[in-house]
Amino acid sequence: MSKAAKTKPSAKTATKKSPTKSSPRPTVVRLADYRPYPLALDGVHLLFTLDATRTLVDCTIDYHANDGRLQKKTWLDGLNLELLSVAVDGKILDKKSYEKNDKGLWLFNLPPRGKITTRVAINPRDNRTLAGLYVANDIFTTQCEAEGFRRITFYPDRPDVMSIFTVEILSDQPVLLSNGNLVESGKRGAQNYAKWHDPFKKPCYLFALVAGDLVDETGEFVTMSGRKVTLKIWSEKQYAGRTGFALSALQRAMKWDETRFGLEYDLDIFQIVGISDFNFGAMENKSLNIFNARYLLLDKNINSDREYLGVDSIIAHEYFHNWSGDRVTLRDWFQLSLKEGLTVFRDQEYSMDNFDRASERLKQVQGLRGDQFAEDASGLSHPVRPTTYKEIDNFYTGTVYEKGAEVIRMLHLILGEEKFQRGIKHYIKQNDGRAATIEDFIESFEAANDMTLDWFMPWYSTKGTPMVAVAQRHAGKDLILDFSQSNNKAKNTLPIPLKIALFDKNGAAIKLISQHKHWHADTAVFLLQAKKDKLVFSDVPAGAVVSLNRGFSAPINLDFAQSAADLAVLLRHDDDGFNRWEAGQVLATRAILADYYQQNSDEFSSYRDGFAQLLTDQHTAPLSLAENFSLPALDELLLAVANQNKKTGADPIKLLQAVRRVRGQLASDQEEKIHARYDATKNVGAVDGRNLVPDDIGGRAINNAMLQFIVNSLQNNKSGDKKNVARVKEILSNHYFKNDNITLKKAALSLINRFSELTGDEELRDAMLSDYFDKIKKDELLFGDYIRLLSGYDAPHTLGVIEQIVATKKIFNPSGTESIDFRLDKPNELYPLLGGLAGNIPQFFRADGKGYEVFLAVVKMVDGINHHTAARLVNMFNSLPQLSAPYKSTMKKHLQKLLKQKISVQLTEMVERTLQG
């Protein structure tokens, strides 16, 4: 596909045949090879006779040929299915009329209209991939996105094949759920029976079934047209009572979608189920969302503010998919960001509208730059809409989700709310019940607003993070900004909207006057569309301070050599929450890099002075203020060093040490103010099990940020001041043991490793870990917090602890007297184990390569159970391109060693792409 083409597949492309193979799925799937499926499905009937080891699935498909005639062979996907029978129009087919292989089923010479009926047997208990239909904790559940439905029955498992589903379930389980409205329930013989009907067409990846001994909390929502919708949040019995917040969050999301987007829910019931074992955070199956229970079930006594905010956002995200993903779905998986990027944008706007816009935006940008920018700088880089893939599961990435949302945010900024909403309404009206493309999406904004947007399309086809270099100069009373853009991953020139403001030295806003054709005075946005351009502002006083890319208006790296004095002005006075924070981040980055390179710099003093003012700030919203106490993430710093030294790369351990020294120096220099702010924010409100109070959350976040500085004040405790160590130990101990608020207790837990690393004192660590172990040992949803503390500890024995956990499948308390079971097939336990190690910089990046060796040995074991999870874990190696020679060569050696072993296609693709970086 051409770089900025606004085209749809031609008739010639649509009839192009796939390579001749045992199945129509080529080794590499290409966007250019798309062709419609030959059948249109008029209805699908599924009958499940559930059994843990031998479930029978009867599937009847009513179809007609798309063009009135069929090819000689028609393909149905099917994986690990025992075919018991196949019939067309009630006639059992003989073996000359079909051909089965390990990927599916060919049917020969189908009539142009008819019924295909298959019966298969599957073993849900033995399915540990967590895709298709599987059993976890004695609960039957499904996960069908992206290609899980083929593990359930023979079917065209692709998103553009949509149909109306009717589902019957027979089981001994008491609760039987599926998509749509409940039509009938009761008994059939000795078994429980339920029949569900979804009146809206959907692809099979949105199919869902859950059966188990579950309990629910029921609520109601009255839509804007007056319809009453029943809401149910389901959980396993041991988690009864943890669904209240989820119910209130769902009601908030439904109301917001009506108010902001005019979108009303369309069925009689909406249900969410929490499942302990789940590959993803959650899944938007039509009317029956399935969640990883960790991201649904909350208790104010065991879950922190961050977890509450996360659950609120995830519930909103999955609900919003009802329109941006379910009612309007995808033509093919290359369009994945069409639903995910749009829905992330919607859930971000929801959170910003409901809480503090500035703090929410800061969290979004921190996530983007810490995850997606690193991805874009690695061998895993790809466009928002890739043109090829081997395994679609490997493209559920920060680029598709978060960068996809940023692309839509730029479109929103360029168009404004009114025009954007017109485009969204047009898009949904024109594509309701259809499988759409990104071109359909953009064309809707064009049609609704009578404009052309083909110039915007390169954002979907260009990989890499653009760099925008800016130089500032004066000519008389004119202020001139010279812009140039580049991208080391691509040659495309992109349209980049830059929101701009000017301030004088005292922080007063300066009126912006420019005649540039791409300057939009009403929004204060300059649209950089050329490789180089200049923007002239008239009548600007000398010494003006420029605030660029306000609100992070474009997902770019900005090369703008502003003075420390100008950045200090922005840190004190900028009314844009993001750019105020960003000024501090730039100053902090310069101070850290100066330490890293052992250079003298005045940036630290500027940052220290601004930081001191933040400590006494009583006007900024607490949630926003709390974010300003964070230092740049190590991933961002690695990129910064690597960009400055492309040949030599970055030393991650040396860089971590520089971060710690700067944080420690700040803590020492501002000790009195830090302790004063810490004392002033003690016991700020309590977590409410139904509602969130932003200022209380912000107050606790500030208190925890101060605690981090107090602990890190020991970094520069060169004299070995025992009184200071004892004082910090007492504060940390009280923060954990004398606080009832779990948000505060978990902050202390997160810092205990650092305290022990700085002091060599493990007494308090053992006491805190023992206490927390006792609290969580009967609740597997909480195991992850404890596991991460073990694998994240910078101590010589940590890698041995990880190997022992994997070998024994046990996790012990500090005294070794009690243990909990550990399972590699549980993502909620596996991700903290290896995520904690990857974040444990000194141990992960060990010179002898032992950190990589231990990590990849676990990945290899996981690959034999769950290919999807194993492949995703390789994302933690995306720093490879930024590393200096010894780290890079050692990491490459271990990845190449893994590649030579017998591993899955999914894992192979991710390792190969990582090595390409």
Side-chain angles (χ1 to χ4, degrees), residues 499-531:
K499 198 162 189 177
I500 302 174
L502 298 178
F503 298 94
D504 66 21
K505 290 295 184 182
N506 296 315
I510 298 172
K511 185 176 181 180
L512 302 179
I513 303 170
S514 177
Q515 302 305 314
H516 196 291
K517 63 180 179 179
H518 292 311
W519 169 251
H520 303 277
D522 55 336
T523 56
V525 171
F526 171 59
L527 188 61
L528 176 63
Q529 288 193 282
K531 196 170 186 65

mmCIF file of all heavy atoms in Angstrom, residues 499-531:
data_model
loop_
_atom_site.group_PDB
_atom_site.id
_atom_site.type_symbol
_atom_site.label_atom_id
_atom_site.label_comp_id
_atom_site.label_asym_id
_atom_site.label_seq_id
_atom_site.Cartn_x
_atom_site.Cartn_y
_atom_site.Cartn_z
ATOM 1 N N LYS A 499 0.968 22.888 19.681
ATOM 2 C CA LYS A 499 0.288 23.934 20.430
ATOM 3 C C LYS A 499 1.348 24.802 21.108
ATOM 4 O O LYS A 499 2.291 24.276 21.711
ATOM 5 C CB LYS A 499 -0.654 23.332 21.465
ATOM 6 C CG LYS A 499 -1.690 24.303 21.986
ATOM 7 C CD LYS A 499 -2.860 23.604 22.652
ATOM 8 C CE LYS A 499 -3.966 24.605 22.943
ATOM 9 N NZ LYS A 499 -5.155 23.975 23.524
ATOM 10 N N ILE A 500 1.192 26.134 21.017
ATOM 11 C CA ILE A 500 2.255 27.054 21.413
ATOM 12 C C ILE A 500 1.701 28.173 22.287
ATOM 13 O O ILE A 500 0.569 28.634 22.093
ATOM 14 C CB ILE A 500 2.934 27.665 20.168
ATOM 15 C CG1 ILE A 500 3.505 26.555 19.266
ATOM 16 C CG2 ILE A 500 4.040 28.645 20.545
ATOM 17 C CD1 ILE A 500 4.055 27.043 17.944
ATOM 18 N N ALA A 501 2.521 28.622 23.233
ATOM 19 C CA ALA A 501 2.234 29.831 24.006
ATOM 20 C C ALA A 501 3.557 30.552 24.251
ATOM 21 O O ALA A 501 4.638 29.956 24.173
ATOM 22 C CB ALA A 501 1.551 29.493 25.325
ATOM 23 N N LEU A 502 3.444 31.852 24.540
ATOM 24 C CA LEU A 502 4.612 32.660 24.907
ATOM 25 C C LEU A 502 4.355 33.318 26.256
ATOM 26 O O LEU A 502 3.228 33.746 26.543
ATOM 27 C CB LEU A 502 4.880 33.740 23.854
ATOM 28 C CG LEU A 502 5.212 33.291 22.424
ATOM 29 C CD1 LEU A 502 5.396 34.517 21.525
ATOM 30 C CD2 LEU A 502 6.456 32.423 22.399
ATOM 31 N N PHE A 503 5.425 33.407 27.070
ATOM 32 C CA PHE A 503 5.336 34.065 28.373
ATOM 33 C C PHE A 503 6.493 35.046 28.506
ATOM 34 O O PHE A 503 7.570 34.853 27.931
ATOM 35 C CB PHE A 503 5.427 33.037 29.507
ATOM 36 C CG PHE A 503 4.318 32.029 29.513
ATOM 37 C CD1 PHE A 503 4.467 30.795 28.890
ATOM 38 C CD2 PHE A 503 3.116 32.311 30.138
ATOM 39 C CE1 PHE A 503 3.443 29.865 28.895
ATOM 40 C CE2 PHE A 503 2.086 31.396 30.148
ATOM 41 C CZ PHE A 503 2.245 30.164 29.519
ATOM 42 N N ASP A 504 6.259 36.097 29.298
ATOM 43 C CA ASP A 504 7.398 36.949 29.635
ATOM 44 C C ASP A 504 8.122 36.345 30.846
ATOM 45 O O ASP A 504 7.705 35.307 31.378
ATOM 46 C CB ASP A 504 6.974 38.399 29.870
ATOM 47 C CG ASP A 504 6.081 38.584 31.093
ATOM 48 O OD1 ASP A 504 6.097 37.709 31.998
ATOM 49 O OD2 ASP A 504 5.370 39.599 31.155
ATOM 50 N N LYS A 505 9.181 36.989 31.279
ATOM 51 C CA LYS A 505 10.019 36.422 32.337
ATOM 52 C C LYS A 505 9.288 36.283 33.671
ATOM 53 O O LYS A 505 9.685 35.512 34.543
ATOM 54 C CB LYS A 505 11.266 37.297 32.535
ATOM 55 C CG LYS A 505 12.262 37.221 31.387
ATOM 56 C CD LYS A 505 12.874 35.832 31.268
ATOM 57 C CE LYS A 505 13.950 35.775 30.189
ATOM 58 N NZ LYS A 505 14.509 34.413 30.041
ATOM 59 N N ASN A 506 8.193 37.038 33.810
ATOM 60 C CA ASN A 506 7.412 36.965 35.041
ATOM 61 C C ASN A 506 6.246 35.978 34.943
ATOM 62 O O ASN A 506 5.433 35.872 35.854
ATOM 63 C CB ASN A 506 6.888 38.348 35.415
ATOM 64 C CG ASN A 506 8.016 39.315 35.721
ATOM 65 O OD1 ASN A 506 8.956 38.966 36.431
ATOM 66 N ND2 ASN A 506 7.933 40.528 35.180
ATOM 67 N N GLY A 507 6.157 35.302 33.784
ATOM 68 C CA GLY A 507 5.115 34.300 33.600
ATOM 69 C C GLY A 507 3.815 34.829 33.049
ATOM 70 O O GLY A 507 2.830 34.080 32.965
ATOM 71 N N ALA A 508 3.786 36.085 32.630
ATOM 72 C CA ALA A 508 2.566 36.638 32.034
ATOM 73 C C ALA A 508 2.468 36.203 30.572
ATOM 74 O O ALA A 508 3.471 36.193 29.843
ATOM 75 C CB ALA A 508 2.575 38.158 32.127
ATOM 76 N N ALA A 509 1.254 35.852 30.127
ATOM 77 C CA ALA A 509 1.058 35.396 28.750
ATOM 78 C C ALA A 509 1.230 36.550 27.777
ATOM 79 O O ALA A 509 0.841 37.689 28.053
ATOM 80 C CB ALA A 509 -0.326 34.781 28.597
ATOM 81 N N ILE A 510 1.828 36.256 26.625
ATOM 82 C CA ILE A 510 2.037 37.232 25.552
ATOM 83 C C ILE A 510 1.085 36.901 24.412
ATOM 84 O O ILE A 510 0.956 35.741 24.010
ATOM 85 C CB ILE A 510 3.499 37.189 25.056
ATOM 86 C CG1 ILE A 510 4.455 37.574 26.192
ATOM 87 C CG2 ILE A 510 3.696 38.089 23.844
ATOM 88 C CD1 ILE A 510 5.918 37.364 25.849
ATOM 89 N N LYS A 511 0.416 37.905 23.870
ATOM 90 C CA LYS A 511 -0.517 37.693 22.767
ATOM 91 C C LYS A 511 0.239 37.199 21.540
ATOM 92 O O LYS A 511 1.302 37.722 21.189
ATOM 93 C CB LYS A 511 -1.263 38.984 22.444
ATOM 94 C CG LYS A 511 -2.344 38.808 21.386
ATOM 95 C CD LYS A 511 -3.127 40.094 21.158
ATOM 96 C CE LYS A 511 -4.216 39.879 20.115
ATOM 97 N NZ LYS A 511 -5.000 41.112 19.865
ATOM 98 N N LEU A 512 -0.338 36.183 20.864
ATOM 99 C CA LEU A 512 0.321 35.577 19.713
ATOM 100 C C LEU A 512 -0.267 36.127 18.418
ATOM 101 O O LEU A 512 -1.475 36.005 18.167
ATOM 102 C CB LEU A 512 0.148 34.060 19.746
ATOM 103 C CG LEU A 512 0.669 33.352 21.007
ATOM 104 C CD1 LEU A 512 0.407 31.861 20.931
ATOM 105 C CD2 LEU A 512 2.148 33.608 21.189
ATOM 106 N N ILE A 513 0.591 36.715 17.588
ATOM 107 C CA ILE A 513 0.169 37.272 16.304
ATOM 108 C C ILE A 513 1.077 36.699 15.225
ATOM 109 O O ILE A 513 2.303 36.874 15.267
ATOM 110 C CB ILE A 513 0.260 38.810 16.293
ATOM 111 C CG1 ILE A 513 -0.576 39.409 17.420
ATOM 112 C CG2 ILE A 513 -0.189 39.365 14.943
ATOM 113 C CD1 ILE A 513 -0.338 40.899 17.625
ATOM 114 N N SER A 514 0.488 35.987 14.268
ATOM 115 C CA SER A 514 1.271 35.418 13.166
ATOM 116 C C SER A 514 0.412 35.375 11.913
ATOM 117 O O SER A 514 -0.807 35.165 11.987
ATOM 118 C CB SER A 514 1.752 34.011 13.510
ATOM 119 O OG SER A 514 2.450 33.449 12.415
ATOM 120 N N GLN A 515 1.066 35.541 10.759
ATOM 121 C CA GLN A 515 0.362 35.506 9.479
ATOM 122 C C GLN A 515 0.584 34.183 8.747
ATOM 123 O O GLN A 515 0.171 34.036 7.605
ATOM 124 C CB GLN A 515 0.842 36.676 8.597
ATOM 125 C CG GLN A 515 0.645 38.048 9.225
ATOM 126 C CD GLN A 515 -0.788 38.302 9.631
ATOM 127 O OE1 GLN A 515 -1.722 38.030 8.874
ATOM 128 N NE2 GLN A 515 -0.987 38.809 10.852
ATOM 129 N N HIS A 516 1.252 33.224 9.365
ATOM 130 C CA HIS A 516 1.547 31.964 8.697
ATOM 131 C C HIS A 516 0.243 31.243 8.350
ATOM 132 O O HIS A 516 -0.689 31.187 9.162
ATOM 133 C CB HIS A 516 2.413 31.074 9.593
ATOM 134 C CG HIS A 516 3.077 29.941 8.870
ATOM 135 N ND1 HIS A 516 2.391 28.875 8.353
ATOM 136 C CD2 HIS A 516 4.392 29.714 8.570
ATOM 137 C CE1 HIS A 516 3.231 28.035 7.779
ATOM 138 N NE2 HIS A 516 4.459 28.523 7.895
ATOM 139 N N LYS A 517 0.193 30.672 7.151
ATOM 140 C CA LYS A 517 -1.047 30.036 6.690
ATOM 141 C C LYS A 517 -1.430 28.809 7.533
ATOM 142 O O LYS A 517 -2.597 28.395 7.549
ATOM 143 C CB LYS A 517 -0.927 29.638 5.221
ATOM 144 C CG LYS A 517 0.144 28.591 4.929
ATOM 145 C CD LYS A 517 0.180 28.275 3.442
ATOM 146 C CE LYS A 517 1.275 27.242 3.130
ATOM 147 N NZ LYS A 517 1.297 26.916 1.685
ATOM 148 N N HIS A 518 -0.451 28.232 8.224
ATOM 149 C CA HIS A 518 -0.743 27.062 9.059
ATOM 150 C C HIS A 518 -0.782 27.403 10.546
ATOM 151 O O HIS A 518 -0.711 26.522 11.393
ATOM 152 C CB HIS A 518 0.279 25.951 8.811
ATOM 153 C CG HIS A 518 0.192 25.342 7.444
ATOM 154 N ND1 HIS A 518 -0.990 24.916 6.896
ATOM 155 C CD2 HIS A 518 1.154 25.112 6.500
ATOM 156 C CE1 HIS A 518 -0.772 24.431 5.679
ATOM 157 N NE2 HIS A 518 0.518 24.548 5.406
ATOM 158 N N TRP A 519 -0.889 28.688 10.856
ATOM 159 C CA TRP A 519 -1.076 29.099 12.254
ATOM 160 C C TRP A 519 -2.559 29.291 12.510
ATOM 161 O O TRP A 519 -3.247 30.027 11.814
ATOM 162 C CB TRP A 519 -0.325 30.394 12.556
ATOM 163 C CG TRP A 519 -0.693 30.993 13.893
ATOM 164 C CD1 TRP A 519 -1.418 32.125 14.113
ATOM 165 C CD2 TRP A 519 -0.377 30.468 15.177
ATOM 166 N NE1 TRP A 519 -1.563 32.340 15.457
ATOM 167 C CE2 TRP A 519 -0.933 31.335 16.149
ATOM 168 C CE3 TRP A 519 0.327 29.343 15.620
ATOM 169 C CZ2 TRP A 519 -0.802 31.120 17.511
ATOM 170 C CZ3 TRP A 519 0.444 29.125 16.984
ATOM 171 C CH2 TRP A 519 -0.111 30.008 17.914
ATOM 172 N N HIS A 520 -3.078 28.585 13.501
ATOM 173 C CA HIS A 520 -4.506 28.659 13.832
ATOM 174 C C HIS A 520 -4.637 29.416 15.149
ATOM 175 O O HIS A 520 -4.460 28.840 16.235
ATOM 176 C CB HIS A 520 -5.110 27.260 13.932
ATOM 177 C CG HIS A 520 -4.938 26.459 12.673
ATOM 178 N ND1 HIS A 520 -5.787 26.564 11.596
ATOM 179 C CD2 HIS A 520 -3.972 25.577 12.305
ATOM 180 C CE1 HIS A 520 -5.384 25.756 10.633
ATOM 181 N NE2 HIS A 520 -4.283 25.151 11.037
ATOM 182 N N ALA A 521 -4.955 30.696 15.030
ATOM 183 C CA ALA A 521 -4.952 31.575 16.200
ATOM 184 C C ALA A 521 -5.995 31.164 17.232
ATOM 185 O O ALA A 521 -5.782 31.302 18.442
ATOM 186 C CB ALA A 521 -5.191 33.021 15.759
ATOM 187 N N ASP A 522 -7.131 30.617 16.780
ATOM 188 C CA ASP A 522 -8.202 30.284 17.719
ATOM 189 C C ASP A 522 -7.819 29.128 18.643
ATOM 190 O O ASP A 522 -8.280 29.047 19.788
ATOM 191 C CB ASP A 522 -9.492 29.950 16.967
ATOM 192 C CG ASP A 522 -9.307 28.843 15.934
ATOM 193 O OD1 ASP A 522 -8.168 28.648 15.466
ATOM 194 O OD2 ASP A 522 -10.304 28.186 15.589
ATOM 195 N N THR A 523 -6.960 28.234 18.156
ATOM 196 C CA THR A 523 -6.522 27.099 18.980
ATOM 197 C C THR A 523 -5.062 27.204 19.400
ATOM 198 O O THR A 523 -4.568 26.344 20.138
ATOM 199 C CB THR A 523 -6.727 25.771 18.221
ATOM 200 O OG1 THR A 523 -6.023 25.834 16.965
ATOM 201 C CG2 THR A 523 -8.198 25.509 17.967
ATOM 202 N N ALA A 524 -4.366 28.235 18.941
ATOM 203 C CA ALA A 524 -2.931 28.420 19.219
ATOM 204 C C ALA A 524 -2.126 27.208 18.767
ATOM 205 O O ALA A 524 -1.211 26.739 19.455
ATOM 206 C CB ALA A 524 -2.686 28.713 20.689
ATOM 207 N N VAL A 525 -2.476 26.686 17.579
ATOM 208 C CA VAL A 525 -1.817 25.501 17.035
ATOM 209 C C VAL A 525 -1.139 25.847 15.708
ATOM 210 O O VAL A 525 -1.756 26.447 14.816
ATOM 211 C CB VAL A 525 -2.830 24.346 16.818
ATOM 212 C CG1 VAL A 525 -2.179 23.196 16.050
ATOM 213 C CG2 VAL A 525 -3.357 23.853 18.153
ATOM 214 N N PHE A 526 0.118 25.462 15.608
ATOM 215 C CA PHE A 526 0.859 25.556 14.352
ATOM 216 C C PHE A 526 0.961 24.156 13.772
ATOM 217 O O PHE A 526 1.396 23.221 14.437
ATOM 218 C CB PHE A 526 2.259 26.120 14.597
ATOM 219 C CG PHE A 526 3.163 26.050 13.397
ATOM 220 C CD1 PHE A 526 2.814 26.684 12.208
ATOM 221 C CD2 PHE A 526 4.362 25.347 13.448
ATOM 222 C CE1 PHE A 526 3.648 26.620 11.099
ATOM 223 C CE2 PHE A 526 5.201 25.271 12.345
ATOM 224 C CZ PHE A 526 4.838 25.915 11.167
ATOM 225 N N LEU A 527 0.555 24.000 12.499
ATOM 226 C CA LEU A 527 0.604 22.703 11.836
ATOM 227 C C LEU A 527 1.851 22.639 10.971
ATOM 228 O O LEU A 527 1.917 23.243 9.891
ATOM 229 C CB LEU A 527 -0.658 22.486 11.003
ATOM 230 C CG LEU A 527 -0.833 21.080 10.410
ATOM 231 C CD1 LEU A 527 -0.912 20.036 11.514
ATOM 232 C CD2 LEU A 527 -2.088 21.019 9.545
ATOM 233 N N LEU A 528 2.846 21.919 11.450
ATOM 234 C CA LEU A 528 4.086 21.728 10.707
ATOM 235 C C LEU A 528 3.865 20.632 9.680
ATOM 236 O O LEU A 528 3.706 19.466 10.031
ATOM 237 C CB LEU A 528 5.214 21.349 11.670
ATOM 238 C CG LEU A 528 6.571 21.007 11.046
ATOM 239 C CD1 LEU A 528 7.157 22.213 10.317
ATOM 240 C CD2 LEU A 528 7.531 20.500 12.120
ATOM 241 N N GLN A 529 3.832 21.000 8.402
ATOM 242 C CA GLN A 529 3.552 20.016 7.358
ATOM 243 C C GLN A 529 4.731 19.772 6.428
ATOM 244 O O GLN A 529 4.708 18.830 5.645
ATOM 245 C CB GLN A 529 2.336 20.460 6.529
ATOM 246 C CG GLN A 529 1.021 20.337 7.287
ATOM 247 C CD GLN A 529 -0.181 20.483 6.377
ATOM 248 O OE1 GLN A 529 -0.556 21.575 5.990
ATOM 249 N NE2 GLN A 529 -0.790 19.370 6.020
ATOM 250 N N ALA A 530 5.742 20.608 6.510
ATOM 251 C CA ALA A 530 6.906 20.473 5.641
ATOM 252 C C ALA A 530 8.083 19.917 6.436
ATOM 253 O O ALA A 530 8.063 19.869 7.667
ATOM 254 C CB ALA A 530 7.263 21.826 5.037
ATOM 255 N N LYS A 531 9.112 19.488 5.720
ATOM 256 C CA LYS A 531 10.317 19.027 6.394
ATOM 257 C C LYS A 531 10.965 20.163 7.179
ATOM 258 O O LYS A 531 11.488 19.966 8.265
ATOM 259 C CB LYS A 531 11.298 18.454 5.378
ATOM 260 C CG LYS A 531 12.405 17.620 5.989
ATOM 261 C CD LYS A 531 13.192 16.901 4.917
ATOM 262 C CE LYS A 531 14.208 15.934 5.514
ATOM 263 N NZ LYS A 531 13.598 14.825 6.241
#
